[in-house]
Each structure stands twice: as structure tokens, then as C-alpha cells.
Amino acid sequence: MNKKVLVTGGTGYIGSHTVVELQNEGFEVYIIDNLSNSDINVLDGITGITGKRPAFEKIDLCDHEKVKAFFSHNPGIESIIHFAAYKAVGESVEKPVLYYHNNLVSLLNLLTCMKDFNIPSLVFSSSCTVYGQPDELPVSEDAPIQEAVSPYGNTKQIGEEIIRDTIHSCEQLKAVSLRYFNPIGAHPSSYIGELPIGIPENLVPYITQTAAGIRDELRVFGDDYDTPDGSCIRDYLHVVDLAQAHVVALKRLLEKRNKGNYEIFNLGTGRGVSVFEAIESFERVSGKKLRYRVVDRRPGDIEKIWANPALANNEMRWSTKYSLDDAMKSAWDWELSYRKNK
Ligand code: UD1
């Protein structure tokens, strides 16, 4: 099995955790990242955990010439895990052209290079955002794709379609799209974790920053939803579980165990958790009371969604191992360790 793998966005949150799991499985990892939303010091964190520094090049994937030059200088790479993308929902509404340009041109450049340099295997970072508010829960992969509520979400939908059409047009290429639910937490070593730049948009970093005294209080976006406690429900999974799923998906392609040249898997726990339950979990594992206040609903929020992960469980033999409390504890440990060492 060829073990040279390119990880785009490998210094980002999910990317860095995946690099660790790949190295633990003996892969030789090359990272491309433009560092637009990540820090070069993440490489030290990865090296601290695995004892092996991944190869790194600061390249903007939208620069086709540089991407081509990378593959010319690094022969033997046979697979790519593609994380690099902009991901802030609110910003994408304000700057749609930036989002479409960055997220789609980078994917097109990679696919062009996959053909030109005979790189057959791709794992793509997609999102449960493609389901919108599903009619049936838990949501399976064959649920209808809904009109995207944000340009960011649309780049994931269009990205999946571009990959599907490209795979159909070229027998040598194969891909897996992984639709993540809500990744949270950090590596148990606290060497790497989520590093939001500016004010976090996502729930868990906002919780940990509030508890650390960086934010005044968490705003709970709505308690009048049609859910048992009135707050929104999501499927939160530990980022290490998610990272391991990428290794499993990649090996499936490399060992030719895939059924069809383009496969799609949900990655979640299968369990829905409300915002209030997430807060309770945080308070339980940290021993701290969280300051929060219920405010209006956030525009564009989905009321409730959680995964049916049966396909990934049965086909990939992957399932989540960490609990919500484990994930919250690791997020809190990471926040404390990051603040201490800053
Ligand atoms: C969001 C994106 C989703 C993207 C994902 C990436 C939206 C509508 N969706 O998902 O497309 O793939 O991030 O990580 O933005 N909450 C609060 N207070 C906060 C922050 C969040 O109450 O300060 C609530 C939200 O209303 C939601 C839950 O916490 O119910 C999770 O929010 P978040 O972490 O932003 O994730 P999603 O909205 O699920």
C-alpha cells in the first residue's frame, strides 16, 4: 500500500488531528496549507505527539502553477485528503464570491492535478449542512439534499457534485465524501486542538472561552424550538474519532475495498444533544458553572439534526468511541493548556 498522502489544510483543526492519526498508522504525510486560518506552530504540536514532523509547504491551492510544481517535486503521492477550505457560515453570506472562489477553485486545481499526475484516491471533507433541516431523523446518506442556507454550505454541495462528475468521467479516479456532523474536542495530549481566530462562531469553543474568562457569557440561540428542552439539537462527535474515520476511508480506497468509485458516508455518533445538554456536560467535566443567557434564534440555524451512522458503522467498520463528556473534557483541557502556554 502506498503510504504517501497529501493532506490539504493539514494545520487546521480537523486536518491536524487527522495528520496525527495517519502518522500513527505509518503514513508519510505531506501538508499543504496557506495558513489563512491556522498557525504554523501546529506542526510542533503534531510532532510533539507523534515524534515525526510532517513535510509542510505553504501554498495557496488556488495557485494552479504552485500546486502543479508541488506534485512535480514530490513524486509518489497517490492519495489526497482535502480539508483546505473557508468555513465561516456568516462570513460566507457577506463574501460569497470569496467563498466560491477559494473553496471551488482549490478543488478544481486538485482534481486537475489528480488526473495529470495519476493520483487516484481522494477523501473529501463535506458536511451534514447538505441535508438542511431533514424531514426524517436520524438522517441517512440517501436523504434529499436541500437548498443550501449559506454560500459556505453551497460550496460543500457543489464540491460533492464536482467530485461525482469528475469520478464518472475518469475510470482511474475514486473518492469518498465524508459528511461530518459537529466535531468538537481536542487531542487527549492537549498538544493540538481547535484554534478559532477572533470570536468563535461554534458552540464548544465559545463555551470554553467563556469559562476561561475570555468571553463574558455564552448566548444560547433560542429556547423555543420544537425539541424536549427548546434548544437546538446536534450530533457532536470527538475530533479524534472523526480523524480516525479519515484513515479508515483512505485505507478502504488504497486497499480497493470500496464499493463503487464514489462513496459518501455520514460521520456522527447517532445521538442528538441539545445546547443545554452540551452546557451540562461541560459543567460536569470542568466543575465550573457556565455563565449563559438565552437570546433570539440565530438566523439560518437548523432546529435538530443527528446522524444515522449505520453505513459508516457497517461498511467502514468505524464508529465513535469517545463520549460527549470525553470530548468536552478534552476541549476544556486544551483551552487551559493553550492559555497557559500562550
Ligand atoms: C455550523 C454551521 C455548519 C458548519 C458547522 C461547522 C450554521 C448555521 N451552520 O453548524 O454549516 O458545517 O458550523 O462547524 O452556522 N450555539 C449557541 N451559542 C453560540 C454558538 C452556537 O447557542 O454561541 C448553538 C447553535 O444555535 C446550534 C449549536 O449551538 O444549535 C451548534 O452551533 P455551531 O457550533 O455553530 O454548529 P452548527 O450551527 O451546527
Side-chain angles (χ1 to χ4, degrees):
M1 185 170 53
N2 179 299
K3 291 217 151 182
K4 285 188 180 182
V5 55
L6 167 64
V7 179
T8 75
T11 50
Y13 173 44
I14 307 170
S16 58
H17 289 81
T18 301
V19 169
V20 165
E21 299 306 319
L22 286 165
Q23 289 186 326
N24 285 345
E25 288 278 324
F27 282 90
E28 190 182 335
V29 179
Y30 296 72
I31 295 176
I32 288 182
D33 202 303
N34 66 1
L35 299 177
S36 62
N37 195 22
S38 61
D39 194 313
I40 191 72
N41 295 328
V42 168
L43 293 177
D44 296 336
I46 294 171
T47 312
I49 298 168
T50 64
K52 230 185 136 196
R53 200 169 182 86
F56 173 83
E57 286 209 33
K58 186 175 175 214
I59 293 175
D60 187 334
L61 289 171
C62 291
D63 186 337
H64 194 185
E65 289 308 314
K66 289 224 171 96
V67 182
K68 274 200 305 203
F70 169 83
F71 286 112
S72 301
H73 297 141
N74 293 286
I77 294 175
E78 282 190 13
S79 56
I80 300 174
I81 304 184
H82 179 42
F83 292 103
Y86 291 161
K87 61 169 189 179
V89 175
E91 187 185 46
S92 80
V93 176
E94 282 158 30
K95 301 174 185 167
V97 174
L98 181 77
Y99 269 68
Y100 285 116
H101 184 270
N102 184 67
N103 290 5
L104 298 179
V105 172
S106 54
L107 175 63
L108 293 169
N109 284 343
L110 273 182
L111 289 168
T112 306
C113 285
M114 287 178 72
K115 279 188 166 182
D116 292 349
F117 291 88
N118 295 320
I119 302 166
S121 306
L122 174 71
V123 176
F124 178 62
S125 169
S126 189
S127 167
C128 70
T129 190
V130 301
Y131 299 120
Q133 176 62 65
D135 294 331
E136 277 179 43
L137 288 168
V139 62
S140 308
E141 290 81 353
D142 55 7
I145 300 299
Q146 308 234 15
E147 199 183 328
V149 292
S150 71
Y152 155 76
N154 211 16
T155 65
K156 291 298 174 189
Q157 290 191 8
I158 297 170
E160 284 196 8
E161 286 169 7
I162 291 173
I163 292 169
R164 183 198 60 205
D165 292 345
T166 310
I167 299 298
H168 284 163
S169 76
C170 182
E171 255 177 48
Q172 287 75 40
L173 296 185
K174 49 196 178 161
V176 175
S177 281
L178 299 176
R179 292 179 179 161
Y180 316 150
F181 283 68
N182 288 58
I184 62 166
H187 194 268
S189 65
S190 295
Y191 281 23
I192 54 171
E194 194 167 4
L195 268 179
I197 293 177
I199 301 172
E201 282 201 23
N202 295 116
L203 179 65
V204 172
Y206 211 104
I207 289 179
T208 56
Q209 288 197 7
T210 303
I214 296 149
R215 312 279 157 214
D216 284 345
E217 62 181 5
L218 172 76
R219 289 168 306 152
V220 174
F221 296 134
D223 66 351
D224 57 354
Y225 284 99
D226 181 18
T227 59
D229 66 19
S231 65
C232 291
I233 294 180
R234 296 287 185 277
D235 186 336
Y236 299 96
L237 76 160
H238 197 302
V239 67
V240 172
D241 279 327
L242 180 60
Q244 285 170 355
H246 290 77
V247 181
V248 174
L250 187 69
K251 282 173 134 181
R252 182 177 169 86
L253 289 178
L254 295 174
E255 292 167 1
K256 302 188 177 14
R257 285 182 282 110
N258 51 306
K259 295 186 180 153
N261 282 349
Y262 183 40
E263 294 184 304
I264 296 176
F265 295 101
N266 280 346
L267 297 179
T269 65
R271 179 171 163 243
V273 168
S274 74
V275 177
F276 290 123
E277 286 172 327
I279 294 172
E280 278 164 27
S281 165
F282 174 79
E283 291 183 333
R284 195 162 46 237
V285 300
S286 68
K288 285 182 85 89
K289 269 258 145 295
L290 190 76
R291 280 171 62 99
Y292 67 85
R293 183 165 54 98
V294 176
V295 299
D296 284 350
R297 294 178 174 196
R298 179 170 69 178
D301 254 343
I302 300 301
E303 181 170 81
K304 50 189 161 197
I305 185 163
W306 61 95
N308 177 352
L311 196 64
N313 297 163
N314 299 331
E315 275 296 324
M316 293 209 293
R317 301 249 169 268
W318 169 89
S319 58
T320 57
K321 295 189 179 64
Y322 291 98
S323 68
L324 176 65
D325 282 7
D326 294 335
M328 281 291 180
K329 173 88 172 49
S330 68
W332 180 230
D333 288 346
W334 159 247
E335 182 76 53
L336 293 175
S337 136
Y338 178 69
R339 298 289 150 206
K340 203 170 94 198
N341 298 323
K342 216 174 137 186

